[in-house]
Amino acid sequence: MMGASTAAWGGVARSEAASAAEYAYLRQLVFEQSQNVLDASRDYLFETRLSRLLRAHGMTHLEELVQLLKVKRSAPLARSVAEAMTINETSFFRDGRPFELLRTELLPRLIEARRTTRRLRFWSAACSTGQEAYSLAMLLREHFPALDGWDVVIEGTDFCGEVVGRAQSGRYQRIEINRGLRARHIVTYFDHADEEWTVKPELKRMCRFRQANLCASNLPFSETFDVVMLRNVMLYFNQETRKRLLKQVRRLLANDGVLFLGSAEQPTDMTLWTSVLAGGTAHYLPKAMSGSR
Ligand SMILES: C[S@@+](CC[C@H](N)C(=O)[O-])C[C@H]1O[C@@H](n2cnc3c(N)ncnc32)[C@H](O)[C@@H]1O
């Protein structure tokens, strides 16, 4: 029931918080859509993160949304709820060490190994607004000019359509540009107008962004990758989901490819991976797979 005390909360009139049952319903819905496990101690986030969605549907209270979903669950609405609950925190060259290790050790080895096919594939899985993919593109252009003329693609995928749209636009605000980029990167790889910095076409051409759920039974790729960055997303999944996902990632990684996880993340099943500590960071090399891929 709505209470008497109403206060502004993220632009939406807020009376009493939603009930425990309503929060539980929303948490379950998010889990079904994106496999993200939300902690009940952070239920307050529903109010702020869903305020825009509520407004767009002419609602003011979470309980109205829950009612609507219960009475007439529309797939797009359920999906929008889950997308709005994703945490999209990212930055250029986040935790620089993986990029440094790629530059000094891993890419020279991979480039040598691909010198006949002249083809390299990167996957920024859970790419958010695209900074990780564009960081890879800058690294390649800045340090590996010999790749000019090679077939190089950086795929970026994310569950949340809004961030994928932003990644595709390649447009960033000052606060985003100031996180992780050196002055020379900004000058060389961005066009600047007013308060917006846009990735130059030569970087954009190297990157392809699309929406994809990492937990779907089939990921939208048929080719294998040489480098997979699966960073800072597994922490939102439970053990079972992580295990399933890493099995899929293993199938999509070349036998001599490289996997990076977030600095607080580890593979669940070490029968698939060899962990290597180098350059102050861990990366994972696939072990030979038994049976068919
Ligand atoms: C914290 S960001 C990490 C971004 C980037 N990988 C990094 O390390 O900076 C987590 C991203 O994972 C995405 N995500 C969450 N669940 C997902 C799923 N099931 N499938 C694909 N992406 C998902 C979110 O939308 C969000 O953009």
Side-chain angles (χ1 to χ4, degrees):
M1 293 295 292
M2 293 187 197
S5 65
T6 302
W9 185 277
V12 173
R14 177 181 186 254
S15 56
E16 287 170 0
S19 71
E22 285 157 352
Y23 284 132
Y25 178 90
L26 289 170
R27 268 186 267 116
Q28 177 60 25
L29 178 148
V30 169
F31 179 72
E32 285 163 18
Q33 295 288 318
S34 65
Q35 261 72 58
N36 283 214
V37 178
L38 303 181
D39 196 291
S41 67
R42 307 186 78 200
D43 276 347
Y44 61 90
L45 286 176
F46 281 110
E47 255 94 6
T48 39
R49 297 184 150 258
L50 295 180
S51 63
R52 200 148 48 101
L53 187 74
L54 290 181
R55 269 201 306 277
H57 286 81
M59 301 175 192
T60 48
H61 297 279
L62 272 187
E63 59 183 307
E64 296 171 72
L65 176 65
V66 172
Q67 276 311 314
L68 179 64
L69 286 161
K70 279 185 175 166
V71 172
K72 186 167 157 255
R73 160 94 65 116
S74 99
L77 183 59
R79 169 101 196 179
S80 302
V81 169
E83 289 190 31
M85 294 308 295
T86 55
I87 311 269
N88 310 115
E89 167 74 16
T90 190
S91 55
F92 289 102
F93 294 98
R94 183 174 188 176
D95 182 20
R97 285 166 291 196
F99 295 95
E100 191 52 18
L101 190 67
L102 279 167
R103 182 180 76 77
T104 54
E105 277 187 38
L106 302 176
L107 279 171
R109 168 175 71 72
L110 277 168
I111 289 168
E112 172 61 18
R114 303 290 183 271
R115 67 184 185 284
T116 38
T117 58
R118 293 165 64 87
R119 178 184 175 282
L120 279 172
R121 290 288 179 273
F122 298 79
W123 180 20
S124 170
C127 62
S128 187
T129 36
Q131 284 90 329
E132 183 173 79
Y134 289 127
S135 301
L136 284 170
M138 283 183 257
L139 180 85
L140 295 175
R141 285 196 77 85
E142 188 173 15
H143 298 287
F144 300 96
L147 291 177
D148 204 25
W150 280 43
D151 175 12
V152 177
V153 177
I154 301 160
E155 299 272 5
T157 60
D158 201 281
F159 175 78
C160 175
E162 186 175 334
V163 293
V164 170
R166 287 210 50 218
Q168 283 165 339
S169 78
R171 291 202 296 269
Y172 296 95
Q173 304 297 310
R174 179 183 295 275
I175 191 169
E176 296 166 311
I177 288 295
N178 283 343
R179 288 187 67 198
L181 285 180
R182 305 212 163 162
R184 70 170 193 278
H185 291 137
I186 302 175
V187 171
T188 313
Y189 298 115
F190 290 82
D191 291 317
H192 175 205
D194 302 322
E195 274 305 283
E196 201 164 72
W197 283 259
T198 306
V199 168
K200 287 207 165 149
E202 63 258 34
L203 283 199
K204 255 196 199 171
R205 271 197 298 274
M206 299 169 70
C207 300
R208 266 196 314 232
F209 295 101
R210 64 180 121 164
Q211 213 173 350
N213 185 351
L214 288 172
C215 306
S217 50
N218 272 317
L219 289 164
F221 300 115
S222 48
E223 54 187 8
T224 56
F225 291 96
D226 302 299
V227 177
V228 175
M229 309 280 264
L230 177 68
R231 301 192 307 153
N232 306 303
V233 62
M234 287 212 304
L235 66 163
Y236 302 110
F237 301 146
N238 65 22
Q239 283 294 97
E240 200 186 314
T241 310
R242 291 175 192 170
K243 196 166 173 190
R244 223 177 23 238
L245 170 59
L246 280 171
K247 221 167 161 180
Q248 292 234 53
V249 170
R250 170 63 191 94
R251 281 203 192 92
L252 286 171
L253 192 63
N255 286 334
D256 59 350
V258 181
L259 167 70
F260 281 99
L261 301 178
S263 55
E265 297 165 325
Q266 287 164 358
T268 38
D269 181 356
M270 287 313 289
T271 60
L272 296 180
W273 308 97
T274 302
S275 161
V276 183
L277 276 173
T281 184
H283 65 276
Y284 302 93
L285 303 177
K287 288 185 181 166
M289 297 217 322
S290 50
S292 61
R293 294 188 64 160

